[in-house]
Amino acid sequence: MIKRLIFFLTIVIGAIPEPLMAQVQSDMKKIKGGIYVPLYGLDSSNVIVDDFYLDTYPVTNDEYRNYLLKNPSWRKTEVIQLFADQRYLNKWVNDTTFSHSFKGQSPITSISWFAAKAYCKSQGKRLPSVDEWEYAAMASENEPNAQLDSVFQQFIIEGYETPKTSLKEIGQSSPNYWGIHDLHAMVWEWTSDFNSVLISGESRKDVDTDRKLFCAGGSVNATALMNYAAFMRYAIRGSIKANYCMENMGFRCASDIIK
Amino acid sequence: MKTSITPLFILLVFVQLSIGCNSNDETSEYHCPMECEAEKVYADKGSCPVCKMDLVVKEEKVVDDSHEIDPNSIFNLESKWRTQNSDEILLKQLKGDILVVVMFYATCETACPRLIADMKMVHDELGNNKGVNYVLVSIDPTKDTPEKLKSFAIENDLNSQEWTFLNGSVENVREFANVLSVKYKEISPTDFSHSNIISVFDQKGVLQYQREGLGIDNEEIVQEVSKLQ
């Protein structure tokens, strides 16, 4: 019996790396790093983003349900209160069944930062940083940096204006330059260091950036639209806490490229 | 007569033992060692319908002390930290004391000295600091090594045992900040922008009070701590 168990374990362990690797290849896309100017940051200097992998799609209801089947501690009746507020999975009928108004291929929402972080860790991944997310998300269908493309910026803002985009299914819209889907026009997404966004003027140094931020609405051109869209995202990041679970906030995972 | 008692006694012991074993077996649940069917358990021995392996007795989960941790306690965090004395600790090792917590960095020249001054003032005003632990968590873990924190403690006269400095990984510091709702960002290689928040946790690690801002009357913090003492 023990021999059988060891034999079986050997097979299982031996077999893990390959399918996992394959999964990384098919469900994630490589983002080639570079320098970018954050749309809105505390300093206006360039930020260097290294190469990284990013999930092609946001994590779905089906995927999260499968995760809950194996990880009871993150079910809604089991979750530690410190890690998720009352609204965690609030539309789920029970611990492992999501509301019939949701589709399996829609993004998981009503999820806290802690839960998103734990999920990514269970997949051998991590959450993307704000800079990584913004870097990947500034790509339109055709170019890696569409910050100054007014049509693209308009598309992003329209996404913010459309209600209930979280009920859409993933992968229905065109991928961006990197092959990534649904960064816009679907859900807000958690980032590992969202709490690095200080827009409440806690530091004296914030003053300039605040001015920059609010002046952006003064004229209507590509830069203004760009700043407006970025303002929306940064305002969200600056106003949430890690245990918040919102109906229009989901996540996707990232991972380092091992050199 | 005497000689016949001993075998009888042994027999009785055996019967007793086997009854003990049986009753143990009756309450056992069996499950697949590979957990093919997740949490599913069976009352009898047999084989797993999925992988065909023999079912094994499901071991009772060892009750660890995490069950005693309040669901809102920071002791639910499993992160590891190093103190200014290079001791490795888990947050739950701070259990039992009232915790007065700030996040700072040692090379900070603007707001932190005032935040530290506020901490000191609370410490001095309380006078009796029994059962109170003043915890300073660095947001710059790469530069603020335990050695650096130790010398900071000495320089600033925060070297008595009720002061605890913590150094953790970048990821764990982020997580800790999230529990405190502290925001911070590296704005240059030498500077961080950060929220100035003093948090008070009770003996169970549950957040009881937070004060945001600098140089505001410390009396409220002192009162909050006194209430918990």
Side-chain angles (χ1 to χ4, degrees), chain B residues 109-154:
Chain B
E109 284 170 358
T110 49
C112 311
R114 296 175 61 193
L115 201 55
I116 304 290
D118 281 353
M119 288 284 277
K120 266 181 159 171
M121 216 181 286
V122 173
H123 172 271
D124 295 346
E125 271 182 50
L126 271 166
N128 171 18
N129 284 297
K130 262 187 195 157
V132 187
N133 198 336
Y134 299 84
V135 183
L136 296 94
V137 181
S138 169
I139 55 172
D140 189 6
T142 17
K143 282 203 232 49
D144 291 345
T145 57
E147 298 74 34
K148 172 89 200 200
L149 292 172
K150 180 78 181 173
S151 52
F152 181 89
I154 294 168

Side-chain angles (χ1 to χ4, degrees), chain A residues 54-114:
Chain A
L54 188 63
D55 280 357
T56 312
Y57 310 104
V59 175
T60 62
N61 286 318
D62 273 344
E63 287 169 325
Y64 202 75
R65 183 178 171 275
N66 285 337
Y67 168 73
L68 291 179
L69 289 175
K70 292 178 206 143
N71 296 277
S73 62
W74 284 100
R75 293 175 188 173
K76 63 191 276 187
T77 57
E78 299 286 322
V79 71
I80 293 170
Q81 284 168 39
L82 184 74
F83 298 145
D85 71 13
Q86 299 288 316
R87 295 162 296 170
Y88 178 65
L89 304 178
N90 68 340
K91 291 275 174 72
W92 284 49
V93 181
N94 61 37
D95 269 344
T96 52
T97 316
F98 47 81
S99 158
H100 59 84
S101 62
F102 289 174
K103 296 190 186 90
Q105 288 296 296
S106 297
I108 178 76
T109 57
S110 297
I111 195 101
S112 70
W113 176 85
F114 294 103

